[in-house]
Amino acid sequence: MSTFDNFTVHPYKYLDICTWEETSKPRISFVDSFDYLDGKKTLPSAVEGRPCGFLPKLMGAEDVEEDLRIEPYADYKSDFFSAFVVRASQMTKLEGRCGFFTPYVWMFIQSYEKLRQYLYSQATLETLIQFEYSAFEEATVPVCTFTFAKRHVNKKGNYLRLVDFRGGMEVQRQKTLEAIVNHNCGFYYEQSSDNFAKIPGSPVAYWVSKNLFSAFEKGKSLGDLAEPRGGLSTTDNARFLRYWYEVRERNITFDVNDTLETEKRNETWAPIAKGGDYRKWYGNNEYVVKWYHNGAEIKHHVVNNPNDPNTKSWSRRIFNYTYYFHPCVTWSGISSGNLSVRMADHQIFGGGGKALFSNDNLEFYCALLNSCVALRCLEFISPTLNYESGHIAKIPVLPENTKMKTINDITDSCRKLSKNDWDAFETSWDFKKHPLV
């Protein structure tokens, strides 16, 4: 192994960009490539009639040498490619251009926020193509290609959003050519990277409208107005969780308002909101958790779990317990589709379920999170369909005081309709009789 300016070069970890085959001899040597970037040598436009160059083989943080985890690369160590992007830009002349083909995770995920800030402040994004998730047929890896100039100026870059076009790279090529000819194709965008900083986390949200950017700039984050929270982790669901109809109904607490009340109650089980299928406004009330005497048995298990010897306090797994049984909006933290939230009360929350709490306007927040506006925001706040409490906290809020009562009334009407639908089946603990009987 040889080293060059803090980069450790691994043999047999290059990809020839002409053939996409692994090689130990790139067409341009690793060291020479920096001479080209630094202007000491002139980069030819082609070698043997084909584009020239190489890429380091993509590696995760666990593969990156220790010398990339210290300054000046400590902020860009999530993957080898992110450190390579920064180093390549540093070696490029002022006004020079760099181009890359990488996973597009750097555009949105929190661990790459420092890389995004670097590109926004030290460079100017000029072009970017975001490909469909499985377009790179050699591997199912979400990828993008982008170029930037080594100098920051306030100008709009050109972006193509090809995420909706399946069919491999040939389809992506055709759509790219279409966008070049027709900027009104519906997937071509022009955006200044200066606008990205208006959104918490600074994602590369190039397709966002002016009105939505304005909402982030002028509004308040939902996390500043309400309290999104994660909840209970039992560490042993088989022991502590049941469907509500698996236990005696008289042994379930349906009317508790606070955890301290359970210390004086005789019931063993309490309802728990733990996510579930796509459903808005009300429902997915399926499970109960063993919470006798304020969860004493779970707490004892958490601190005496042989599979987790490092946990010495039950609060490490039982989060935000002071919020249990309070009125809330709840949703599934992990989903295969769009976000859907529901009103809940007298329940614990946890497992796959997250919750949002507020002393007022809870109906308004429920309506907001069930709206197309929230879905639009989550496209770039959480493109992986993981709806953690931190993601929900970033959604902007512009309270319409003149319409608040109307919104709350509509939300309450939707909740009642959804509850009637849920209670029409025997899987509901409030089931009385089937509506057709």
Side-chain angles (χ1 to χ4, degrees):
M1 246 186 309
S2 59
T3 59
F4 179 77
D5 280 6
N6 290 335
F7 270 109
T8 301
V9 184
H10 293 257
Y12 308 106
K13 287 195 175 181
Y14 303 105
L15 293 178
D16 189 314
I17 66 171
C18 302
T19 64
W20 296 110
E21 294 178 352
E22 192 170 300
T23 177
S24 60
K25 288 187 177 182
R27 291 173 175 267
I28 297 173
S29 73
F30 187 85
V31 175
D32 284 346
S33 66
F34 289 108
D35 288 336
Y36 292 121
L37 288 170
D38 202 28
K40 296 176 182 177
K41 297 181 180 180
T42 302
L43 184 65
S45 60
V47 175
E48 299 173 359
R50 301 192 307 184
C52 65
F54 81 99
L55 292 174
K57 185 177 179 182
L58 297 179
M59 295 183 288
E62 68 277 3
D63 299 316
V64 178
E65 290 295 319
E66 187 64 29
D67 51 12
L68 286 184
R69 302 184 186 185
I70 59 176
E71 294 295 342
Y73 308 110
D75 290 336
Y76 319 108
K77 66 182 182 181
S78 295
D79 274 295
F80 185 80
F81 83 81
S82 58
F84 182 80
V85 168
V86 173
R87 182 55 175 158
S89 71
Q90 292 172 346
M91 299 292 289
T92 303
K93 280 187 172 182
L94 191 65
E95 303 286 358
R97 265 67 177 173
C98 288
F100 297 92
F101 183 91
T102 72
Y104 68 58
V105 290
W106 68 269
M107 298 169 58
F108 308 107
I109 295 179
Q110 182 179 0
S111 56
Y112 295 92
E113 185 174 349
K114 291 293 182 66
L115 174 62
R116 293 193 293 273
Q117 292 175 349
Y118 175 86
L119 293 177
Y120 301 159
S121 61
Q122 304 299 319
T124 303
L125 284 171
E126 295 187 328
T127 63
L128 185 146
I129 303 174
Q130 184 181 356
F131 296 109
E132 192 271 330
Y133 193 90
S134 57
F136 188 48
E137 295 168 328
E138 286 76 6
T140 303
V141 179
V143 293
C144 69
T145 183
F146 61 100
T147 66
F148 60 83
K150 187 187 177 180
R151 184 179 183 181
H152 177 71
V153 294
N154 184 9
K155 77 170 189 177
K156 293 182 178 180
N158 305 314
Y159 300 84
L160 297 185
R161 183 171 170 81
L162 306 182
V163 296
D164 296 325
F165 305 109
R166 298 180 65 87
M169 276 298 181
E170 178 57 26
V171 173
Q172 307 288 291
R173 184 184 73 86
Q174 293 173 4
K175 290 297 181 181
T176 299
L177 295 176
E178 178 184 342
I180 292 173
V181 175
N182 178 20
H183 287 182
N184 295 319
C185 59
F187 48 90
Y188 170 86
Y189 301 88
E190 294 183 359
Q191 192 65 259
S192 170
S193 60
D194 289 354
N195 286 328
F196 301 154
K198 298 175 182 178
I199 302 173
S202 304
V204 187
Y206 56 85
W207 65 94
V208 171
S209 66
K210 290 182 180 179
N211 288 338
L212 196 49
F213 274 124
S214 177
F216 277 101
E217 190 173 22
K218 297 179 181 179
K220 293 184 177 181
S221 295
L222 181 54
D224 293 333
L225 301 172
E227 299 174 276
R229 293 287 184 267
L232 171 67
S233 174
T234 70
T235 69
D236 190 346
N237 286 350
R239 176 178 173 181
F240 296 111
L241 284 183
R242 296 289 185 273
Y243 285 107
W244 71 268
Y245 45 79
E246 293 182 309
V247 303
R248 293 178 182 271
E249 188 171 349
R250 66 171 181 268
N251 212 13
I252 304 174
T253 61
F254 288 111
D255 58 353
V256 168
N257 297 303
D258 188 85
T259 54
L260 294 179
E261 289 184 34
T262 64
E263 295 182 357
K264 304 175 183 178
R265 301 286 290 259
N266 294 323
E267 297 92 340
T268 302
W269 303 89
I272 180 171
K274 61 180 301 293
D277 296 333
Y278 180 89
R279 186 176 179 86
K280 291 182 176 181
W281 312 113
Y282 184 89
N284 288 352
N285 299 323
E286 300 175 302
Y287 289 92
V288 291
V289 63
K290 198 171 188 180
W291 197 255
Y292 178 70
H293 199 69
N294 203 6
E297 187 175 341
I298 291 181
K299 293 175 181 178
H300 180 270
H301 172 74
V302 166
V303 296
N304 294 279
N305 185 356
N307 297 322
D308 188 13
N310 294 325
T311 297
K312 305 301 181 183
S313 172
W314 54 261
S315 60
R316 186 180 180 186
R317 302 297 180 192
I318 302 175
F319 307 112
N320 299 302
Y321 64 95
T322 57
Y323 292 83
Y324 295 175
F325 303 108
H326 292 188
C328 67
V329 171
T330 183
W331 67 92
S332 301
I334 300 177
S335 173
S336 59
N338 292 334
L339 175 71
S340 62
V341 306
R342 298 162 292 280
M343 304 288 291
D345 197 3
H346 309 296
Q347 297 189 36
I348 294 174
F349 62 100
K354 311 298 178 182
L356 180 133
F357 298 86
S358 175
N359 292 329
D360 51 19
N361 298 331
L362 200 59
E363 292 85 0
F364 174 82
Y365 299 140
C366 183
L368 172 64
L369 295 177
N370 273 334
S371 71
C372 58
V373 176
L375 293 181
R376 191 68 166 173
C377 293
L378 290 170
E379 286 179 356
F380 48 86
I381 292 176
S382 179
T384 60
L385 301 181
N386 286 354
Y387 303 126
E388 299 294 338
S389 54
H391 298 140
I392 300 301
K394 295 178 181 178
I395 293 176
V397 180
L398 293 171
E400 291 285 351
N401 293 327
T402 58
K403 300 179 181 179
M404 189 71 73
K405 184 179 185 305
T406 301
I407 294 173
N408 290 345
D409 289 344
I410 294 174
T411 301
D412 188 57
S413 176
C414 290
R415 186 192 66 81
K416 289 178 179 177
L417 288 171
S418 183
K419 186 178 189 307
N420 289 338
D421 174 71
W422 181 261
D423 292 344
F425 298 91
E426 293 181 356
T427 50
S428 169
W429 53 57
D430 287 324
F431 173 78
K432 303 299 181 185
K433 67 177 183 177
H434 196 277
L436 298 180
V437 176

